[in-house]
Amino acid sequence: MQLLLCYTGLYSLQVVRDHVLLNEFFRDGMHCTLFAFTLNTCAYTTEIFAGAIWATPYGEI
């Protein structure tokens, strides 16, 4: 789902099309794929670290 939103959704914004670097980046499908997978991996990693922090008892170092 993120890949579809990244590839079609972000490129449909006029701000992205007007900006030279964003236009070049989002026009290529491989860049959109890597961007979507990076966002997905970062989100899951953040949830893992947040769960580990919440599971640590107060005062434990």
Side-chain angles (χ1 to χ4, degrees):
M1 185 68 178
Q2 293 98 355
L3 182 58
L4 180 65
L5 289 174
C6 176
Y7 191 64
T8 59
L10 289 176
Y11 193 68
S12 67
L13 297 174
Q14 191 64 35
V15 175
V16 174
R17 284 193 212 155
D18 289 341
H19 195 276
V20 176
L21 291 176
L22 292 177
N23 187 18
E24 289 295 321
F25 182 81
F26 285 110
R27 220 179 339 162
D28 187 20
M30 182 58 84
H31 291 152
C32 291
T33 303
L34 291 174
F35 181 66
F37 286 155
T38 301
L39 285 179
N40 195 24
T41 302
C42 288
Y44 278 113
T45 305
T46 302
E47 287 296 319
I48 290 170
F49 284 131
I53 290 171
W54 282 106
T56 304
Y58 180 76
E60 185 175 324
I61 296 176

